[in-house]
Amino acid sequence: MDCCIIGTGYVGLVTGACLADMGHSVTCVDRDAAKVAALVRGEVPIYEAELEAVVRRNLDSGGLLFTGDIRSAVAGAEFVFITVDTPSDAEGNADLTHVDEVAREIAAALDGYKVIINKSTVPVGTTKRVERIIEESMRAHHEFDVVSNPEFLREGTAVFDFSNPARIIIGSDSQKAAMRMTALYRGLDAPLLITDPASAEMIKYASNAFLATKVSYINAIADLCEAVGADVREVSLGMGYDDRIGFEFLKAGPGFGGSCFPKDCRALLNIARENGYDFNLLQGVLVVNREQQERMVAKIERAAGGLQGTRIGALGLAFKANTDDVRESPAVAIVKMLLEKGAAVTVYDPEANDNAAEELAGAEFAPDAYAAVKDADVLVLLTEWDEFKWLDYGRVLSAMKSPVVVDTRNCLDPVVLRKLGFTYEGVGR
Ligand code: UDX
């Protein structure tokens, strides 16, 4: 089936490449000519497992094309995906400028019936809004349907997630469009839920906000565990065996970050406010998340015996492992606070050094973990990359000035480290 993907950001590129991998003919459009030129050469601008291989494979087979020409890409497609970014505006609302622009461009290019699919995370009501814009901007009358089909791709495992979805949500009032979407995704083994557009849009926000709530909940419990002498990892495990709770998203740490959770929580809070509901529970989730970063800084300050003039080796900048994304990364926020409090911070991330360089202009960047901890008073582990778990901690110890480790991800073994002579601090244990 012929698909057009508008916007080759994270979601667009993964969706386009994976749809092509399923055997569909896909044309991805972007207005950034340099990006299109790089993609045509098979160069993927983001760090994402397997993505470059999938892109190259489908470029070679001819099933995946990249272009800057939206008009011809839309005209040749039966399915048109909107995958442009919806950043938070100053009030925390999703900014729909790009979605609106794309809707007008699609309208101008319509030449027959098409299913227009919104994958970007957008406020409830946007499916109807896109429908209205297209209706108003169409040059000649053509039939079309707008469908909400939210994505649930995790950075770092997005290609796997596309092919192994927990569910496929199709929000549409049109049976014709819903049936075409069902055919498009035939081959993916997952429950497929057809719902009204508003519910589909809400499912995305409600899911992400719920997962964020789990993280803040366990971080609050971690804080209590420290006070009462319990170990939050044991507590999570004991909770997780209850099927109603589950094991996932109960890892205590420096708080959630990334391009989705913080933004989606703020947007859902605003949606609630605009509809007269005071979503105190979700407000609390964001408060706990901010406080968690401050708690990590206080923990580091205690471990170091003060921050002024203290040399800190910080491992990790990405908002989680296996991505180079530093958007709303707790690691970056914590390093910033340490710098503000007068610490000298040397940072290292296997993939995210470049992306954090501008925001952390006051930090020194190291080429590897050992260089980052050289002469440090404290090693602070901020992102749970595997390579940090397997460092030679004997070598780390001899490189550091004092043997203090603060592990904000609970991913190191305190027994091993203490045996080597380190002082170890985790989270909630
Ligand atoms: C998330 C959703 O999982 C995905 O379905 C959605 O479409 C986009 O947002 P992503 O942002 O890639 O994906 O990250 P995810 O793996 O969900 O983690 C989000 C944040 O929560 C990270 O900062 C992570 O470190 C943190 N987290 C997650 C915890 O602190 N503890 C946990 O137990 C799980």
Side-chain angles (χ1 to χ4, degrees), residues 396-416:
V396 168
L397 185 82
S398 40
M400 291 179 70
K401 199 152 94 199
S402 36
V404 180
V405 169
V406 177
D407 173 10
T408 72
R409 295 284 184 168
N410 285 343
C411 66
L412 303 179
D413 186 339
V415 177
V416 172

Side-chain angles (χ1 to χ4, degrees), residues 352-379:
N353 273 10
D354 290 349
N355 288 345
E358 200 179 319
E359 216 175 334
L360 296 180
E364 248 178 72
F365 284 77
D368 62 49
Y370 298 107
V373 299
K374 189 167 179 301
D375 297 328
D377 299 298
V378 188
L379 179 162

Side-chain angles (χ1 to χ4, degrees), residues 152 154-155 249-251 256-257 260-261 319-320 409:
F152 299 98
R154 291 164 300 172
E155 292 186 23
F249 277 77
L250 289 180
K251 276 201 207 83
F256 58 79
C260 288
F261 281 9
F319 80 97
K320 64 173 188 179
R409 295 284 184 168

Side-chain angles (χ1 to χ4, degrees), residues 274-323:
E274 278 160 17
N275 287 281
Y277 178 66
D278 220 352
F279 205 156
N280 285 325
L281 177 62
L282 191 54
Q283 184 69 55
V285 168
L286 286 171
V287 170
V288 169
N289 199 49
R290 198 192 54 242
E291 287 174 354
Q292 190 67 2
Q293 296 173 357
E294 291 159 6
R295 270 189 225 113
M296 294 303 111
V297 173
K299 191 186 271 293
I300 297 161
E301 187 164 13
R302 273 196 310 277
L307 286 173
Q308 191 63 46
T310 297
R311 179 159 285 282
I312 290 169
L315 301 186
L317 294 169
F319 80 97
K320 64 173 188 179
N322 305 319
T323 174

Side-chain angles (χ1 to χ4, degrees), residues 16 33 44 51 54 64 96 98 105 130 144 147 153 186 214 229 251 258 324 327 350 358 388 404 412 416 418 422-423:
V44 169
L51 184 56
V54 180
L64 180 63
L96 293 179
H98 296 144
E105 288 176 294
V130 169
F144 69 94
V147 167
L153 307 171
R186 193 168 293 137
K214 278 187 103 173
K251 276 201 207 83
D324 61 355
R327 283 176 288 177
E358 200 179 319
F388 299 149
V404 180
L412 303 179
V416 172
R418 287 186 182 128
F422 282 102
T423 307

Side-chain angles (χ1 to χ4, degrees), residues 13-94:
L13 195 52
V14 172
T15 304
C18 292
L19 281 171
D21 225 31
M22 288 175 74
H24 299 303
S25 294
V26 180
T27 304
C28 294
V29 189
D30 205 290
R31 60 164 103 156
D32 179 341
K35 194 171 182 187
V36 169
L39 285 165
V40 167
R41 293 192 298 270
E43 291 163 18
V44 169
I46 45 174
Y47 176 84
E48 181 62 45
E50 296 177 57
L51 184 56
E52 193 154 292
V54 180
V55 167
R56 289 188 173 202
R57 181 159 74 229
N58 289 283
L59 272 173
D60 289 346
S61 71
L64 180 63
L65 302 173
F66 294 98
T67 177
D69 180 4
I70 188 167
R71 186 68 68 91
S72 62
V74 170
E78 185 184 350
F79 299 91
V80 180
F81 286 81
I82 304 178
T83 53
V84 292
D85 56 335
T86 52
S88 276
D89 66 14
E91 279 85 47
N93 295 307

